[in-house]
Amino acid sequence: LPLCLPAFINGYDKAVLNTQRSALTMAEEDDARIRILQSLRGKICAAKNLGPVPNRQRDLCTFCTVSLDQEEVFRTKVFDKSGSPFYGEDFYFEIPRPFQGLSFYVYAKSVFQRDLPVGKVSIRKDDLCKYKGKEHWFSLQPVDPNSEVQGKVHLEMRLNEVITDNGSVGQHLLVQIIECQGLPLISGQICDPYATVSLVGPARSDQKKTKVKKKTSNPLFEETFFFEVTRSSSYSKKSHFQVEEEDIEKLEIKVDLWNSENLAQDVFLGETRVPVKILRNDHIHKAWYLLQPKGNGSKSKSDDLGSLLLKLAYVEDTVLPSACYIQLCNLLLKSPDVKPISASSAHILGDICRERYEGVLPMVRLLLHHNRFVPFVSAVAALELDNTQEANTIFRGNSLATRCIDDMMKIVGKNYLAVTLKPVIDELSQSLFSSITQSNANCPPSMCAVFRSLRHLACKRFPADPHVQYSAVSSFVFLRFFAVAVLSPHSYQLRSHHPDPDISRTLTLISKTIQTLGSWGSLSKKLSSFKESYMYDFFKSFQEDKCIEKVKKKRAQGRKRLGKKNFKKRWLRVTNRELSYHKHKGKEAVCIINVKNIQAVEKLDESAFNRKNMFQVVHAEKQLYVQARNCVEACEWLDVLGQVSRCNEGRLANFHPSTYSGGSWQCCKSQSSSSPGCKPCTITMQANLQLDIDCDRETERIFSLLSANDTNLQNMEDACASLAVYQGPQREQEEYSKFTIQEPKETFQTLKQLRNIMVELQRQHEMRNDTTAQYGSLDNPIVGKTS
């Protein structure tokens, strides 16, 4: 399953999916379109010198979030009170849609009100490549509502010369705002957008307004506005039909998007500015523009808010049809059979990418998928052992063998770790707490008597609070007794000496857990105020009857209650046999759908329920409509559910992207509820779900690595040629010493094969690059001018 899935779908059951799947036919592969696949791997390392948060709440704990444009897709744990916290959290996710940039927010955790933003780091998509694989300190910028924008607007503009009734010549400006796409959510809800269109200059600001479009992130306006462009004072000296340079140079078209608020101030969604002078050379100027922050956002000093240390690696793969990769894939899969192994293409890849952390990962994944990893790594390990002189240094270096085995363990060993270590770690934590909560029989009578008295006194003083009887006792038992004893066991003669630093750190964490739980006798606070994630399981002992984690909203078609659409939060779980949803994790299933009965898994139009990130599971009885928390999570569910059902006999060829209501399908207006779908179903690419391996993508990444290390390939070719021709004593040259060349001729032949394959793949890419989206199109919008 996708390795990033548990980070976003807490209730996901990572079952091993062993369903046999037939391969795509060659015809299907040839017809498959090119895939542009984006992914982001990174680490939120630390922050330093965090400035004061709003409302002077300086000592609150902090956490970080990652947003794709303005949509949150990842959140760290909450960390201790510190102006320079160490986060150290890795993240990885596939990016399922076009985006403008990434934002990293630092928040101060608040118990009694909304979390307070400390600052943010915003990075445009085009700048992500500058920081690939390297740690970098970014200055935090203020979180200004006027800079929290996303989306794009489609405009059509024209400048016409007209003759007025009195015979004078002037210019009329026509501005049509056609539509917008990708506007943000406001307070978690789809907005009610409208636009204002202005012609602004040194001495004028004419503004006009569109109608409000209800509940949509992609409003269709199609409204046209006219503005009169005034003549300059020197008009009489110019020809009647010459456009006035001086006047137009100072004018610009300003388009602002707003969210309509009935009882509050309207919310700014973004703006774009277009100089009128560009219309002189265009009969009709029609283009998409990215929305920009108001006035380029806040310009406050960044040093006041501190810095955030990030490590980012953004990858964009242009994956061609499978037929394009056959030669490279076959050459790599033959590697275990090549003698010596150092002359194989897989070994050469590891040699030339020695300095790159991710250099062998796609090769390892490809070999694993085709069951060729064991013979390859065995041959590589044998080569390394031949060059090992001391037994105590065996497999100690950062060699190709150790790198391959490290990557293999990370890929296939996650479930093994979960089965082996997680129960022990959970038991260790739970054992300590259970020992305390079940120790009432051993509590000394005098302590029991004191606590009984405290309970009665507290209840008498606060008769309206049913929980005070517990908090009065827990504040002593936990905070002042058990927590202190765990923190300093030597003080209570539980140990004969002070614990070492590592053990002391563990005892400190356990003590903090006990203190936190002890202060929660009222059970009235929110789970979100926990500062450590490992405390969550303990809290379940107190509140088993409350919903701790809520993952998805689901709605069964046609069911309503009190006239409202019946969306409810549910816990979704999928295995290779069934999809089920539950009220809470661990509870009995409310509904179970056999995977064999799934006929389609497709996206749902936003207009169907005026909600984002929705998908539908079509099966024999009815549709199941599900809303994911963000676009990344929705894409992962679509991918996994599509894979487990891709070979079902009853798969549909077409589907309805909207709902059936009011006696017809809202997408195609067909009146029969059983009418065939009006849109072709998505072709699910074959993948090894157990290892989450897409072979075409991995081969494309190998091609990218080879291309990026072309200089090393050339040096290796030169080294092979030199070693094969030179007949004298072997001399180790500095430029050759980093390569493993046992048989120069064999290695040279493999290099030549790689070179020819790379040339052909590069040609295939260049052929398809001719279709690059035109600047100003929907896929390549213009970055508009900002003030």
Side-chain angles (χ1 to χ4, degrees):
L1 297 180
L3 301 180
C4 59
L5 201 52
F8 308 115
I9 306 175
N10 297 329
Y12 202 92
D13 192 314
K14 297 187 290 184
V16 176
L17 304 169
N18 294 320
T19 307
Q20 296 297 319
R21 303 169 182 85
S22 61
L24 290 175
T25 65
M26 185 64 69
E28 289 176 320
E29 291 184 353
D30 288 340
D31 292 337
R33 64 183 180 86
I34 298 172
R35 295 179 290 153
I36 307 297
L37 303 178
Q38 307 169 100
S39 64
L40 181 71
R41 186 183 302 276
K43 184 174 186 177
I44 301 176
C45 304
K48 66 180 179 181
N49 304 324
L50 294 182
V53 298
N55 301 333
R56 300 183 181 277
Q57 300 189 41
R58 297 169 179 265
D59 56 350
L60 292 180
C61 303
T62 61
F63 65 93
C64 293
T65 65
V66 182
S67 291
L68 194 64
D69 292 329
Q70 299 303 316
E71 183 178 14
E72 182 182 320
V73 294
F74 179 76
R75 177 176 293 213
T76 70
K77 296 178 291 186
V78 180
F79 288 81
D80 288 341
K81 303 173 183 178
S82 171
S84 299
F86 175 77
Y87 298 111
E89 287 214 27
D90 297 293
F91 61 87
Y92 172 83
F93 55 85
E94 299 288 330
I95 301 176
R97 60 171 175 80
F99 71 104
Q100 298 178 33
L102 290 169
S103 296
F104 300 82
Y105 294 83
V106 179
Y107 285 94
K109 190 68 184 175
S110 177
V111 177
F112 302 109
Q113 57 184 327
R114 293 179 61 185
D115 299 330
L116 304 171
V118 178
K120 70 173 183 178
V121 172
S122 295
I123 307 173
R124 294 194 62 83
K125 176 183 176 180
D126 295 340
D127 295 331
L128 284 172
C129 59
K130 299 178 183 178
Y131 312 106
K132 185 173 182 180
K134 298 178 182 179
E135 292 186 355
H136 187 85
W137 283 102
F138 295 87
S139 297
L140 290 174
Q141 303 295 328
V143 179
D144 178 6
N146 288 333
S147 68
E148 304 294 287
V149 304
Q150 70 178 59
K152 43 199 167 187
V153 59
H154 194 194
L155 303 176
E156 181 177 323
M157 295 162 285
R158 182 188 308 168
L159 188 64
N160 294 329
E161 290 192 345
V162 296
I163 301 177
T164 62
D165 293 338
N166 60 11
S168 62
V169 178
Q171 294 86 42
H172 278 184
L173 175 66
L174 177 150
V175 179
Q176 182 182 22
I177 178 167
I178 303 173
E179 62 179 315
C180 291
Q181 286 199 7
L183 297 180
L185 298 176
I186 302 297
S187 301
Q189 302 295 321
I190 293 178
C191 58
D192 296 331
Y194 69 91
T196 60
V197 182
S198 306
L199 179 63
V200 297
R204 65 182 295 172
S205 181
D206 302 334
Q207 185 180 93
K208 299 180 182 181
K209 176 182 174 182
T210 69
K211 296 177 181 178
V212 175
K213 300 297 181 179
K214 294 291 186 179
K215 302 298 180 186
T216 177
S217 298
N218 305 308
L220 182 64
F221 294 108
E222 293 187 327
E223 294 192 39
T224 303
F225 303 99
F226 293 90
F227 299 92
E228 182 178 352
V229 179
T230 58
R231 294 182 290 110
S232 68
S233 58
S234 60
Y235 170 75
S236 59
K237 299 179 181 179
K238 299 181 180 288
S239 64
H240 281 245
F241 294 97
Q242 183 175 348
V243 177
E244 299 298 326
E245 299 280 348
E246 181 180 359
D247 195 34
I248 292 178
E249 288 288 342
K250 300 176 182 178
L251 294 177
E252 62 182 7
I253 303 158
K254 180 171 174 283
V255 179
D256 294 84
L257 271 296
W258 300 85
N259 179 56
S260 178
E261 299 280 351
N262 292 329
L263 302 177
Q265 184 176 358
D266 292 350
V267 178
F268 176 76
L269 300 179
E271 71 171 31
T272 189
R273 294 170 178 255
V274 183
V276 175
K277 63 183 180 181
I278 71 169
L279 304 181
R280 290 174 300 183
N281 300 322
D282 282 350
H283 180 62
I284 297 178
H285 180 78
K286 189 174 182 179
W288 283 87
Y289 284 84
L290 285 177
L291 293 175
Q292 300 293 308
K294 182 180 291 186
N296 246 348
S298 177
K299 307 266 188 191
S300 302
K301 291 183 179 179
S302 58
D303 293 340
D304 298 337
L305 301 177
S307 303
L308 188 64
L309 181 62
L310 301 173
K311 184 178 182 180
L312 305 173
Y314 168 74
V315 177
E316 181 176 297
D317 297 314
T318 302
V319 182
L320 305 175
S322 296
C324 298
Y325 299 111
I326 290 176
Q327 286 185 305
L328 180 55
C329 185
N330 288 341
L331 185 62
L332 290 163
L333 295 179
K334 291 177 182 177
S335 295
D337 303 324
V338 175
K339 300 292 190 283
I341 193 64
S342 61
S344 68
S345 58
H347 194 286
I348 290 172
L349 177 68
D351 245 10
I352 66 171
C353 298
R354 188 172 299 182
E355 305 301 323
R356 300 189 63 161
Y357 171 76
E358 77 280 14
V360 299
L361 180 59
M363 180 260 290
V364 169
R365 294 166 71 87
L366 192 67
L367 293 174
L368 279 171
H369 178 82
H370 292 280
N371 296 317
R372 299 291 285 162
F373 178 76
V374 174
F376 173 75
V377 81
S378 297
V380 172
L383 176 60
E384 180 175 338
L385 288 173
D386 288 342
N387 296 321
T388 303
Q389 304 300 320
E390 298 287 340
N392 58 1
T393 62
I394 187 172
F395 298 130
R396 293 295 178 89
N398 186 30
S399 63
L400 179 57
T402 57
R403 290 158 64 201
C404 287
I405 296 172
D406 283 347
D407 285 339
M408 178 272 298
M409 292 191 296
K410 292 174 184 176
I411 295 169
V412 305
K414 285 186 175 290
N415 287 338
Y416 176 51
L417 281 178
V419 172
T420 306
L421 295 185
K422 189 177 186 298
V424 179
I425 295 173
D426 291 343
E427 183 179 358
L428 175 63
S429 300
Q430 188 64 40
S431 177
L432 176 64
F433 189 71
S434 297
S435 180
I436 294 174
T437 57
Q438 298 172 11
S439 65
N440 59 312
N442 298 322
C443 186
S446 56
M447 290 178 64
C448 291
V450 170
F451 297 148
R452 189 180 302 112
S453 176
L454 292 177
R455 285 182 59 188
H456 290 308
L457 291 171
C459 290
K460 184 178 179 180
R461 174 65 180 84
F462 301 100
D465 190 338
H467 303 296
V468 71
Q469 57 179 320
Y470 305 117
S471 58
V473 175
S474 64
S475 61
F476 288 94
V477 176
F478 289 91
L479 272 67
R480 294 175 172 85
F481 186 64
F482 284 114
V484 177
V486 170
L487 184 63
S488 304
H490 56 283
S491 300
Y492 288 79
Q493 288 77 51
L494 299 178
R495 287 177 63 94
S496 58
H497 53 79
H498 292 274
D500 62 49
D502 291 337
I503 295 177
S504 178
R505 171 61 178 163
T506 302
L507 295 177
T508 299
L509 294 175
I510 296 174
S511 177
K512 287 172 60 180
T513 304
I514 295 173
Q515 291 179 49
T516 302
L517 293 171
S519 65
W520 279 36
S522 66
L523 304 182
S524 60
K525 298 183 180 180
K526 296 180 180 179
L527 178 67
S528 59
S529 60
F530 269 132
K531 293 178 287 187
E532 304 285 355
S533 61
Y534 62 84
M535 298 181 184
Y536 290 13
D537 289 335
F538 292 117
F539 182 60
K540 294 176 187 176
S541 302
F542 288 97
Q543 285 190 315
E544 291 182 351
D545 60 328
K546 291 192 176 181
C547 179
I548 304 301
E549 296 174 275
K550 299 177 181 179
V551 181
K552 293 282 180 298
K553 294 181 180 178
K554 71 91 190 171
R555 177 178 185 264
Q557 181 176 352
R559 296 182 183 177
K560 295 186 178 180
R561 179 178 297 175
L562 300 178
K564 294 184 178 180
K565 294 172 181 176
N566 185 26
F567 280 96
K568 293 183 178 179
K569 291 185 178 180
R570 290 291 183 259
W571 185 283
L572 264 68
R573 177 179 182 269
V574 66
T575 67
N576 60 319
R577 294 183 178 181
E578 63 186 33
L579 169 68
S580 59
Y581 58 82
H582 314 246
K583 286 188 175 181
H584 312 309
K585 182 182 180 181
K587 299 294 184 180
E588 292 185 3
V590 176
C591 177
I592 297 176
I593 301 172
N594 194 314
V595 164
K596 292 183 179 179
N597 295 332
I598 294 178
Q599 299 171 333
V601 183
E602 298 289 344
K603 291 181 180 179
L604 198 67
D605 285 350
E606 179 186 301
S607 60
F609 295 107
N610 290 324
R611 294 173 181 263
K612 282 190 170 185
N613 305 318
M614 291 204 63
F615 62 92
Q616 57 180 317
V617 181
V618 183
H619 57 108
E621 296 181 10
K622 57 191 174 184
Q623 285 89 344
L624 177 70
Y625 298 131
V626 184
Q627 182 185 21
R629 291 182 297 195
N630 55 60
C631 64
V632 171
E633 187 180 277
C635 183
E636 289 166 348
W637 275 101
L638 283 166
D639 182 57
V640 174
L641 290 174
Q643 289 289 351
V644 298
S645 62
R646 68 183 302 273
C647 294
N648 289 352
E649 293 182 359
R651 289 276 305 186
L652 298 177
N654 299 284
F655 75 104
H656 290 286
S658 192
T659 58
Y660 184 84
S661 61
S664 66
W665 288 99
Q666 298 305 302
C667 44
C668 60
K669 305 306 178 183
S670 174
Q671 296 183 356
S672 172
S673 61
S674 59
S675 66
C678 56
K679 186 176 181 180
C681 288
T682 305
I683 297 177
T684 304
M685 302 301 294
Q686 185 183 18
N688 183 332
L689 287 184
Q690 184 175 350
L691 301 178
D692 183 30
I693 294 175
D694 180 340
C695 289
D696 291 345
R697 187 176 192 178
E698 302 303 335
T699 312
E700 170 61 29
R701 286 179 173 172
I702 291 171
F703 166 67
S704 297
L705 286 168
L706 291 169
S707 300
N709 289 272
D710 186 72
T711 301
N712 285 345
L713 275 177
Q714 186 60 55
N715 290 339
M716 198 172 190
E717 282 189 55
D718 294 342
C720 289
S722 176
L723 292 171
V725 174
Y726 183 65
Q727 301 297 321
Q730 294 295 317
R731 296 179 299 174
E732 186 176 9
Q733 302 180 37
E734 183 177 352
E735 63 269 27
Y736 302 162
S737 61
K738 60 183 179 182
F739 304 127
T740 305
I741 303 175
Q742 293 175 288
E743 292 290 341
K745 292 183 179 179
E746 290 289 336
T747 306
F748 187 81
Q749 290 300 320
T750 305
L751 286 166
K752 278 304 199 185
Q753 288 179 279
L754 280 173
R755 179 73 67 188
N756 293 335
I757 292 171
M758 289 170 61
V759 169
E760 176 59 22
L761 273 174
Q762 184 60 38
R763 188 182 70 83
Q764 294 286 345
H765 276 282
E766 289 174 353
M767 285 173 53
R768 291 164 172 84
N769 283 342
D770 293 338
T771 60
T772 302
Q774 182 180 357
Y775 189 51
S777 66
L778 175 62
D779 296 326
N780 189 16
I782 298 170
V783 179
K785 174 186 175 183
T786 57
S787 59

